[in-house]
Amino acid sequence: MEPENEKGKSGVGLLDRVRGQVREQVPVIKDKVKEEVESLKDPEKTQLYKSVFRVKHDDTPRNRSLGVLSNVFLHLHPAKINRDAVRFNYTWGMGGITFYLFIVLTFTGILLMFYFHPTKAEAFRDILYLEHDVPFGKLLRNMHRWAAHLMVITVELHMFRVFLTGSYKRPREFNWVVGVILLVLTLLLSFTGYLLPDDQLGFWAVTVGTNMARATPLLGHEGPLGAQLGMTAYNDIRFGLLGGSIVDANALLRSYIWHCIGIPIVAGVFMGVHFWRVRKDGGISGPAPVALESEIKPVKKI
Amino acid sequence: MSTEDKTLEQRPVAAEGEAKSPPPAKPSAPPAKPAAAKTAGQTAGQTPGQTRTVGGKTTEGRTAEAPMSKMRRRVVWACIWGFLAANFLMLLRFFLPRTIFEPSNSFRIGFPQDFAFGVDTKFQQQYRIWVVRNAERLFVVYARCTHLGCTPDWKASEAKFKCPCHGSGYDSEGINFEGPAPRPLDRAQVALDPEGQIVVDVGRLYQQPKGAQTQFNDDGAFLRV
Amino acid sequence: MDWSQLWEITSAPDNVPIVAMLFLVPFFTWYGLRQAVANDRLIAQLEGDAQLAKTHHRKTQPWRPGWAKELHVWPFLMRIEFLAAVLVTVLLMVWSITLDAPLEEPANPNLTMNPSKAPWYFLGLQEMLVYFDPWIAGVLMPGLIIVGLMAIPYMDTNPLGSGYYTWRQRRFAIAAFIFGFVILWVAMIIIGTFIRGPGWVWFWPGQTWDHNVQVFDLNRDLHEYFGITSAAGKFIFGGAVVTLYYLVAGWVVHKLITWNEFNRKIYERMSLIQYLTLQFFLTTMLALPIKIILRLLPIHIKNVWVTPWFNV
């Protein structure tokens, strides 16, 4: 304690005291700063990093399993699969490729939506605008269109492969049915998208298609027994699809909504069921051990 | 039966009854690298790119990789990240179209003689402007409140512009005197075309910011009539 | 041989997928059947030797005792999926940079293009419009195709071939499917793309697409050859013809289903409903090429059954 005189001031002086304390603290602070700068040199050790990113794990079998099972995007997969099932010449990879194309189409489709107005006055113009005045617009439109065609091809090849390997047999019958539904949804997505540019190609393709709808039995005004049920051009199923009796503004808007929202949601739901059923039914069907004719069990009579 | 994980890259070694299947087309490059890393005790005479191990074991950690594989890996990852980065930049650029279709900023409003002294609201609906004329000059006020951008109303009975949004008030020449407006109403560029018609350009505005040099006396901010 | 016409058709950007299909479908058919043959060889080997059947590894893919039967999805399957995604992306981008998506003139309800074609995956249906009423070609047949596809797992009582390629063990099923998919569906798409020209007229590959060609099709309904004119007569006659067709075709299909010992074994496992459903779909499927042939033959049959409400 410094000696105090009557006025209560310390003998050494306030300023000196402060200066002394600062002198003490400076090296301490300097060390702290140096420590923190050192720690920043390894960002992977910071709290910020560690809270966001996973830690690198040793490559053990357990960790390999966990890498899939504890990953939100990957955990649809099992931890392990049959060693032969990874071979391209069994599955052709078509199912996965179809799903990947669906994702590509969703992504490119959403980007295209930023520049597309689904009205008669603007739809066609917007496609031209995309192709000429939007940077990478042409590339995006092309990618969307070709991915769509490719997806129809891969979905059909997938169906073909599943048939050839008999992967629709028990217990996978229902998954095959879901697959057929997805095939129809894929074709419908393609069909509704076809009209959107509002060009001659799309317009007449949809005209021909919906004209077939008016010939539906019972529900179409030109189909068998349709007229008898009171179907006219203004209330039959074709009218319901187009929102009118002609392929016009309403048809374009409905096509747009089916294409961008309605069918993708339905397809998404069915895809969820389809992938889940694959797991539930025992994973990828093969290649399975070959069975012999002599090993066929007789049908269980109920 | 042991539970070792054999490397995937087993070339068929005289498998019974198997037709000559071609080696799976793609995974010769990528799988070989971690495979090369995972197996210890590789049989002699193997190149890093191809594994023909029959007795490999997975190790708990990584063994030293051949430098070639490491390099190849880096190149592949660099390509992938580069591709994604390029696409990301393309994505950003995509949102900025090269041309837009918006109404023109420049238009004609008639002859100076068409306008009496005072405030004329004839073009407020069509062009968002008021034409103000006094003894010395004619100028065009842009009808956007300098507070947050609403369109004020001209109250002829009170001889002021009053903004309904937050109550900013401007006098008959657009000078702010009440409310939160930070400065007077901006004025649009005016000129006379060869015929003598007034040409207004709301793309070029003149301001009188508080505490700064006024632009209201600049060329183009008003017409001398 | 008009090569430029042929090139014009094959190089049209929207036709590129079909040209790709011309290669992909035969390739994958061959690819799958190749493995089927390999598997069949193994099966024959195992069937010949009961001891071998008990001990031998039951796959054509290589395996040694001591090898793990399963692989971790990470990294092995994930690597392959990632690679597939990369390859598909590269293919798609190169394709999108080189070929432009088509955009014709703005929609004009008063001017139809010639030829006016549906998207390629519907060309099969559009081709069927030539031979059938719109509602049959556009609603009934597609509906039957979809329902028929869905019904396949429930009609198939053959327990063999589940999870591996085979030909010998599933000859009937595979032949039927390839017939329906490759020969009917894909071939109709190819016809619709390359053969059908302006006015939906038949042009062989290499023929120039002449917009002014005159085609005189003298199509007759079947009852005309028999001199039946009354409405009731036509109705009964047509009904009889269709019934007769189903009976004859049903008999032919039955012969195929019970062709050999193995087929008969499978046939015995079928319930009545399964059998009738299978019969219905197969005979109806066969009706399509038969109707096409009837149209193309010199007798040029347009309809076999004419009623006031529908024609077949």
Side-chain angles (χ1 to χ4, degrees):
Chain A
M1 284 293 278
E2 287 78 5
E4 296 193 20
N5 54 26
E6 313 117 17
K7 298 242 179 82
K9 285 203 199 126
S10 75
V12 182
L14 186 60
L15 200 57
D16 293 323
R17 206 152 35 131
V18 167
R19 230 184 281 151
Q21 282 186 343
V22 167
R23 232 174 283 148
E24 276 174 49
Q25 293 297 325
V26 163
V28 176
I29 294 175
K30 248 208 201 139
D31 284 332
K32 244 200 187 147
V33 168
K34 212 176 5 183
E35 219 180 278
E36 295 200 3
V37 168
E38 281 300 317
S39 74
L40 281 176
K41 290 220 179 97
D42 190 4
E44 294 188 8
K45 295 285 195 310
T46 58
Q47 183 194 16
L48 182 61
Y49 185 93
K50 286 206 276 198
S51 69
V52 175
F53 295 105
R54 298 156 71 233
V55 178
K56 273 219 182 315
H57 293 286
D58 288 337
D59 191 16
T60 64
R62 181 172 178 275
N63 285 339
R64 283 184 172 184
S65 301
L66 283 175
V68 167
L69 296 175
S70 61
N71 184 317
V72 66
F73 300 109
L74 298 179
H75 78 279
L76 186 69
H77 295 84
K80 283 186 167 188
I81 52 169
N82 187 293
R83 70 178 303 117
D84 299 311
V86 293
R87 296 172 72 108
F88 173 75
N89 58 18
Y90 180 72
T91 67
W92 304 349
M94 288 296 153
I97 291 176
T98 307
F99 179 55
Y100 178 66
L101 286 171
F102 182 79
I103 294 175
V104 168
L105 283 165
T106 307
F107 184 65
T108 54
I110 291 177
L111 289 179
L112 287 169
M113 283 170 84
F114 278 105
Y115 286 103
F116 183 75
H117 307 81
T119 62
K120 284 295 270 188
E122 295 172 278
F124 185 81
R125 240 184 44 185
D126 287 338
I127 305 294
L128 289 175
Y129 187 66
L130 263 167
E131 293 197 339
H132 296 105
D133 293 325
V134 175
F136 306 110
K138 197 180 199 49
L139 177 69
L140 205 63
R141 182 188 174 226
N142 287 349
M143 277 183 72
H144 194 76
R145 185 118 177 178
W146 301 136
H149 285 225
L150 196 59
M151 188 174 166
V152 175
I153 294 178
T154 55
V155 104
E156 292 187 352
L157 287 175
H158 177 64
M159 173 179 75
F160 191 35
R161 193 286 290 171
V162 169
F163 189 91
L164 286 181
T165 57
S167 307
Y168 58 83
K169 297 186 195 247
R170 201 163 67 89
R172 297 181 173 86
E173 305 100 324
F174 184 63
N175 210 16
W176 170 268
V177 173
V178 174
V180 174
I181 293 175
L182 283 170
L183 170 69
V184 173
L185 288 174
T186 307
L187 293 175
L188 286 176
L189 271 174
S190 216
F191 188 60
T192 48
Y194 218 65
L195 173 63
L196 297 180
D198 197 30
D199 67 341
Q200 284 284 60
L201 199 62
F203 179 82
W204 289 106
V206 168
T207 303
V208 168
T210 51
N211 281 352
M212 292 204 269
R214 76 176 170 213
T216 311
L218 303 171
L219 294 174
H221 77 277
E222 284 185 9
L225 303 175
Q228 282 84 335
L229 260 75
M231 291 285 151
T232 69
Y234 297 94
N235 64 6
D236 71 347
I237 188 170
R238 180 170 170 276
F239 184 82
L241 285 170
L242 295 177
S245 62
I246 49 172
V247 179
D248 201 26
N250 281 359
L252 183 62
L253 184 63
R254 288 187 182 204
S255 212
Y256 181 70
I257 293 174
W258 281 123
H259 184 75
C260 300
I261 302 178
I263 302 179
I265 289 183
V266 175
V269 169
F270 276 106
M271 280 195 288
V273 175
H274 196 63
F275 301 153
W276 173 74
R277 276 307 300 237
V278 170
R279 291 295 307 275
K280 181 178 178 292
D281 294 335
I284 297 292
S285 59
V290 299
L292 301 177
E293 199 184 318
S294 48
E295 294 164 356
I296 300 180
K297 294 190 203 60
V299 178
K300 267 199 291 256
K301 291 279 185 235
I302 304 154
Chain B
M1 186 168 34
S2 67
T3 52
E4 299 149 325
D5 230 11
K6 293 296 184 240
T7 57
L8 177 63
E9 209 54 23
Q10 303 289 349
R11 297 282 186 269
V13 186
E16 297 88 336
E18 196 210 337
K20 272 259 156 61
S21 59
K26 355 93 270 149
S28 39
K33 299 189 286 278
K38 271 16 153 229
T39 51
Q42 298 180 8
T43 54
Q46 288 180 31
T47 59
Q50 312 235 334
T51 47
R52 273 176 204 275
T53 52
V54 180
K57 283 185 167 59
T58 43
T59 54
E60 288 297 291
R62 259 179 231 281
T63 52
E65 290 179 46
M68 170 106 97
S69 311
K70 212 169 185 178
M71 194 56 196
R72 205 177 339 182
R73 246 205 202 175
R74 287 229 184 94
V75 169
V76 171
W77 276 115
C79 287
I80 291 169
W81 284 116
F83 177 78
L84 289 173
N87 271 272
F88 182 67
L89 292 173
M90 282 158 64
L91 175 73
L92 293 178
R93 181 75 184 94
F94 171 76
F95 282 102
L96 303 158
R98 296 188 195 115
T99 64
I100 51 173
F101 300 91
E102 292 177 1
S104 176
N105 282 332
S106 186
F107 45 86
R108 282 177 185 54
I109 54 171
F111 296 91
Q113 310 83 283
D114 300 339
F115 298 96
F117 281 20
V119 172
D120 194 323
T121 59
K122 190 158 47 179
F123 292 105
Q124 180 182 336
Q125 279 305 320
Q126 193 178 359
Y127 293 123
R128 202 184 185 180
I129 53 166
W130 298 294
V131 183
V132 180
R133 188 179 175 182
N134 58 27
E136 301 148 356
R137 44 171 87 176
L138 181 147
F139 54 90
V140 168
V141 177
Y142 191 53
R144 183 183 64 194
C145 180
T146 52
H147 179 224
L148 288 174
C150 295
T151 306
D153 303 310
W154 166 244
K155 303 256 181 248
S157 51
E158 297 164 66
K160 70 179 182 186
F161 297 99
K162 186 77 174 163
C163 182
C165 288
H166 306 98
S168 297
Y170 309 82
D171 68 15
S172 59
E173 299 211 331
I175 311 300
N176 59 313
F177 66 92
E178 68 182 357
R183 64 173 195 276
L185 292 169
D186 297 335
R187 298 180 185 181
Q189 183 179 62
V190 282
L192 288 173
D193 74 355
E195 290 170 32
Q197 275 212 54
I198 305 173
V199 180
V200 181
D201 184 359
V202 296
R204 173 70 177 95
L205 295 175
Y206 296 88
Q207 302 181 347
Q208 183 168 292
K210 192 170 167 157
Q213 180 79 3
T214 178
Q215 297 173 342
F216 284 169
N217 295 320
D218 292 358
D219 274 330
F222 66 98
L223 290 173
R224 230 178 274 279
V225 284
Chain C
M1 190 69 183
D2 190 350
W3 292 109
S4 68
Q5 175 73 68
L6 199 58
W7 175 248
E8 203 183 302
I9 303 170
T10 45
S11 64
D14 242 10
N15 287 346
V16 164
I18 303 100
V19 176
M21 283 257 274
L22 278 177
F23 294 106
L24 288 173
V25 171
F27 169 73
F28 279 108
T29 313
W30 166 79
Y31 201 40
L33 289 179
R34 193 166 136 271
Q35 290 190 71
V37 164
N39 282 335
D40 287 338
R41 225 179 288 151
L42 174 64
I43 291 168
Q45 203 181 14
L46 294 179
E47 282 180 339
D49 186 342
Q51 191 53 35
L52 208 58
K54 277 207 204 44
T55 56
H56 193 272
H57 178 55
R58 285 289 187 101
K59 297 190 198 176
T60 52
Q61 285 85 6
W63 185 77
R64 296 261 180 297
W67 287 13
K69 286 231 161 102
E70 295 195 320
L71 293 173
H72 276 107
V73 164
W74 178 288
F76 297 106
L77 183 64
M78 304 299 0
R79 275 199 306 224
I80 290 173
E81 292 191 1
F82 183 59
L83 188 71
V86 167
L87 287 174
V88 168
T89 310
V90 168
L91 170 76
L92 194 60
M93 286 208 126
V94 169
W95 188 0
S96 303
I97 292 171
T98 21
L99 271 131
D100 281 338
L103 187 68
E104 312 248 336
E105 303 100 48
N108 184 351
N110 300 322
L111 181 69
T112 314
M113 299 184 324
N114 193 2
S116 190
K117 293 193 179 177
W120 63 268
Y121 36 87
F122 285 149
L123 278 176
L125 300 177
Q126 195 171 6
E127 176 66 17
M128 284 208 285
L129 280 171
V130 175
Y131 311 102
F132 292 98
D133 275 0
W135 71 276
I136 295 183
V139 180
L140 185 67
M141 296 217 112
L144 284 179
I145 292 174
I146 292 169
V147 176
L149 280 174
M150 288 187 184
I152 288 176
Y154 301 99
M155 300 188 293
D156 188 345
T157 51
N158 184 350
L160 297 174
S162 178
Y164 55 92
Y165 292 93
T166 173
W167 163 251
R168 297 206 90 245
Q169 290 184 335
R170 292 176 61 211
R171 271 186 291 213
F172 186 82
I174 293 182
F177 192 82
I178 289 184
F179 178 73
F181 178 58
V182 179
I183 293 179
L184 292 184
W185 182 253
V186 174
M188 302 274 267
I189 290 176
I190 290 172
I191 292 175
T193 312
F194 297 107
I195 311 284
R196 292 293 185 186
W200 209 254
V201 169
W202 187 283
F203 289 95
W204 292 103
Q207 276 187 295
T208 314
W209 280 13
D210 182 1
H211 284 256
N212 300 315
V213 66
Q214 307 266 19
V215 174
F216 296 100
D217 259 339
L218 203 57
N219 296 323
R220 286 210 169 77
D221 293 334
L222 185 61
H223 59 78
E224 292 178 36
Y225 283 108
F226 290 81
I228 300 174
T229 47
S230 72
K234 288 186 213 171
F235 185 78
I236 296 170
F237 175 75
V241 168
V242 170
T243 314
L244 188 64
Y245 164 76
Y246 270 103
L247 289 173
V248 171
W251 178 80
V252 170
V253 169
H254 184 81
K255 275 271 158 264
L256 288 171
I257 290 178
T258 52
W259 189 254
N260 56 21
E261 180 77 53
F262 178 72
N263 281 13
R264 279 192 284 276
K265 241 197 207 165
I266 302 302
Y267 166 66
E268 254 134 55
R269 294 163 67 92
M270 286 172 102
S271 72
L272 188 61
I273 301 181
Q274 282 173 316
Y275 175 75
L276 288 174
T277 317
L278 184 63
Q279 273 282 11
F280 171 69
F281 282 117
L282 286 177
T283 48
T284 310
M285 184 166 80
L286 279 172
L288 172 63
I290 287 174
K291 189 114 198 295
I292 294 177
I293 292 170
L294 282 176
R295 178 72 79 94
L296 297 176
L297 286 176
I299 44 176
H300 293 306
I301 304 291
K302 187 155 178 288
N303 292 311
V304 295
W305 189 8
V306 174
T307 73
W309 310 283
F310 61 85
N311 305 316
V312 172

